């Protein structure tokens, strides 16, 4: 007890306060030094990369524009070689070349690829490709694809059916980027679904290319993967592949409603003399949604031969189908307006409204 009281009293001695103050003073000084050092490092980390980035982009632009004929000679300034050892600077330089390559072609594009190889960036892309982290792998695929490293196509092709949706999307786009229409050969082995978004992206990539025969299209229309069939039908529709008409007709009996719907849309673009009658026969076996699609297709390809079928559909209980049949009659039958006018007199409700609506819609 006495020892405890003495130790407590010692706390109030001047010497103890001086020692405590000194300790706190040292800690405050150390804290200030650490804060200053941290701010200094941040300043250096900000300004040095900015300086490097501006200098690198300026050098690349000058080299490409002023030395266009000297593609085999690349002399990288030593100051850049030093900075490129830092991961952040290296990735920035690589990203800059990737973006530049996307916006140029021809001789300038070849120079960008040559610089990509000279700086050893292909090895960086391969490290990403070999990564177990999916977004790194996606980045690697994209870099190799943009830089047209076709020697990597076999490895990338294997990833077109990867279980990770982002990896296989990027790999599929890469195969197209390498080979255009021929790059779609991954559809032969694809077991995973192709989303509508990915189909749209692939179609948009194909649009700038000159139309050409699509190898494998007929086989894709008989694929076990329903989304592959739908994508093939869309290709046949966009590029009017008349040679697969029979295969598309076969798709009208597919178990998947979406496949049948797209088949009806495709047949509108590749129709022959028998197509309208085929759609009329399929109509009765279809769902309401697909019946509307069939009528929309018939509005483009039907003729007087389909008039009995269409006239019968005017008595359908469903208002949408009644209007759809009336639209086809007005559009495709030689005496279509007379048929609708007579129907309106016979049964004013609802056919007078349908007649007036179609007159306004079709401007006739």
């Amino acid at each position: 007890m006495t020892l405890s009281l003495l130790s407590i009293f010692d706390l109030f001695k001047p010497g103890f306060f001086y020692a405590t103050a000194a300790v706190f003073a040292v800690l405050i000084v150390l804290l200030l030094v650490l804060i200053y050092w941290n701010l200094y490092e941040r300043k250096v980390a900000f300004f040095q990369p900015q300086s490097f980035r501006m200098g690198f982009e300026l050098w690349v632009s000058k080299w490409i524009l002023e030395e266009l004929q000297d593609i085999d000679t690349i002399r990288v300034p030593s100051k850049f070689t030093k900075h490129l050892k830092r991961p952040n600077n290296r990735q920035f330089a690589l990203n800059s070349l990737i973006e530049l390559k996307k916006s140029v072609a021809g001789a300038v594009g070849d120079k960008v690829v040559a610089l990509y190889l000279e700086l050893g960036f292909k090895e960086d892309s391969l490290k990403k490709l070999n990564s177990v982290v999916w977004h790194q792998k996606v980045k690697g695929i994209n870099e190799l694809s943009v830089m047209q490293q076709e020697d990597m196509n076999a490895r990338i092709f294997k990833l077109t059916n990867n279980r990770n949706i982002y990896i296989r999307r990027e790999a599929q786009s890469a195969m197209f980027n390498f080979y255009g229409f021929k790059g779609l050969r991954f559809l032969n082995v694809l077991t995973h679904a192709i989303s509508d978004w990915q189909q749209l992206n692939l179609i948009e990539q194909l649009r700038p290319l000159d139309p050409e025969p699509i190898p494998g299209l007929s086989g894709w229309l008989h694929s076990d993967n329903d989304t592959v069939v739908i994508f093939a039908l869309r290709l046949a529709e966009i590029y009017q592949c008349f040679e697969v008409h029979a295969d598309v007709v076969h798709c009208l009996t597919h178990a998947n409603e979406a496949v049948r719907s797209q088949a009806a849309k495709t047949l509108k673009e590749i129709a022959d003399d028998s197509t309208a009658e085929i759609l009329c026969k399929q109509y009765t076996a279809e769902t309401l949604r697909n019946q509307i699609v069939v009528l929309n297709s018939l509005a483009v390809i039907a003729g007087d031969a389909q008039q009995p079928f269409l006239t019968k559909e005017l008595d359908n209980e469903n208002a949408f189908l009644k209007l759809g049949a009336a639209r086809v009659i007005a559009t495709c039958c030689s005496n279509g307006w007379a048929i609708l006018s007579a129907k309106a007199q016979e049964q004013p409700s609802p056919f007078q409204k349908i007649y007036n609506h179609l007159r306004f819609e079709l401007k006739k």
Side-chain angles (χ1 to χ4, degrees):
M1 188 67 178
T2 304
L3 292 174
S4 298
L5 290 173
L6 289 174
S7 61
I8 292 172
F9 287 130
D10 287 341
L11 296 177
F12 295 96
K13 292 180 179 180
F16 177 78
F17 284 111
Y18 295 146
T20 303
V23 170
F24 275 104
V26 171
L27 291 176
I28 291 172
V29 170
L30 288 175
L31 181 61
L32 291 173
V33 169
L34 290 174
I35 291 173
Y36 174 81
W37 182 256
N38 180 263
L39 292 175
Y40 176 78
E41 288 291 314
R42 286 173 177 266
K43 180 179 178 182
V44 171
F46 177 80
F47 284 107
Q48 280 190 353
Q50 292 298 321
S51 176
F52 164 76
R53 292 170 183 180
M54 292 177 63
F56 181 78
E57 290 179 342
L58 181 62
W59 171 70
V60 171
S61 301
K62 185 177 180 180
W63 179 73
I64 287 176
L65 295 175
E66 293 185 2
E67 302 177 22
L68 192 56
Q69 305 302 322
D70 194 16
I71 192 170
D72 297 325
T73 303
I74 304 175
R75 296 177 181 177
V76 183
S78 58
K79 60 179 180 179
F80 294 139
T81 304
K82 174 184 176 182
H83 285 294
L84 284 173
K85 293 179 180 179
R86 296 184 178 182
N88 290 341
N89 289 344
R90 194 169 183 82
Q91 188 58 53
F92 167 80
L94 176 51
N95 290 342
S96 296
L97 293 182
I98 292 292
E99 290 304 313
L100 181 59
K101 180 63 175 68
K102 289 179 180 179
S103 60
V104 299
V108 174
D110 292 340
K111 290 206 70 177
V112 175
V113 173
L115 187 56
Y116 166 83
L117 296 173
E118 177 65 24
L119 294 175
F121 288 152
K122 183 174 182 177
E123 286 70 26
D124 294 18
S125 299
L126 288 175
K127 287 180 182 178
K128 297 185 184 79
L129 182 66
N130 295 328
S131 174
V132 296
V133 181
W134 69 265
H135 61 83
Q136 287 289 333
K137 192 178 290 289
V138 168
K139 179 70 172 172
I141 296 170
N142 178 260
E143 291 172 359
L144 292 167
S145 169
V146 172
M147 289 300 177
Q148 292 292 317
Q149 300 303 298
E150 294 184 15
D151 58 318
M152 293 290 107
N153 76 81
R155 292 187 58 185
I156 294 175
F157 180 79
K158 293 179 181 179
L159 299 174
T160 57
N161 201 31
N162 191 278
R163 62 183 180 179
N164 184 297
I165 185 172
Y166 301 104
I167 293 175
R168 67 173 181 266
R169 276 182 184 176
E170 195 63 44
Q172 290 165 10
S173 295
M175 293 307 298
F176 161 78
N177 196 39
F178 285 147
Y179 303 114
F181 284 95
K182 294 180 181 179
L184 294 174
R185 62 189 177 90
F186 66 82
L187 295 173
N188 295 325
V189 297
L190 191 65
T191 58
H192 294 281
I194 315 176
S195 67
D196 288 340
W197 177 252
Q198 178 65 355
Q199 291 187 39
L200 178 62
N201 285 337
L202 290 171
I203 289 171
E204 287 304 310
Q205 286 180 280
L206 289 169
R207 286 190 190 279
L209 300 181
D210 293 330
E212 61 180 70
I214 305 175
L217 182 60
S218 178
W220 303 336
L221 290 169
H222 297 274
S223 172
D224 293 332
N225 187 330
D226 291 356
T227 58
V228 169
V229 178
I230 292 173
F231 181 59
L233 286 168
R234 286 173 173 163
L235 291 176
E237 176 187 10
I238 294 169
Y239 294 99
Q240 294 185 309
C241 302
F242 297 97
E243 68 275 10
V244 294
H245 183 275
D247 299 298
V248 176
V249 170
H250 178 77
C251 291
L252 286 174
T253 59
H254 199 281
N256 189 314
E257 179 186 3
V259 172
R260 299 196 306 273
S261 175
Q262 184 57 52
K265 294 175 185 177
T266 301
L267 284 172
K268 175 183 64 177
E269 300 298 330
I270 61 172
D272 60 19
D273 293 339
S274 66
T275 306
E277 195 60 36
I278 291 171
L279 287 175
C280 289
K281 290 180 180 178
Q282 178 63 25
Y283 178 87
T284 56
E286 275 302 343
T287 62
L288 173 60
R289 181 180 301 177
N290 279 2
Q291 285 179 329
I292 294 173
V293 173
V294 169
L295 287 174
N296 289 338
S297 293
L298 287 173
V300 178
I301 64 174
D304 289 334
Q306 284 71 51
Q307 180 182 314
F309 162 78
L310 295 167
T311 303
K312 182 180 178 181
E313 277 305 297
L314 290 177
D315 296 323
N316 196 299
E317 295 180 356
N318 186 282
F320 291 104
L321 298 181
K322 194 188 301 285
L323 176 61
R327 183 181 291 108
V328 180
I329 290 173
T331 305
C332 301
C333 297
S334 56
N335 61 338
W337 289 110
I339 293 172
L340 295 180
S341 178
K343 192 72 174 178
Q345 292 179 5
E346 175 189 336
Q347 191 178 340
S349 180
F351 287 102
Q352 188 61 53
K353 290 183 178 179
I354 290 176
Y355 181 88
N356 293 337
H357 170 77
L358 291 176
R359 278 289 187 184
F360 176 77
E361 178 185 307
L362 302 175
K363 304 297 182 183
K364 290 185 177 180

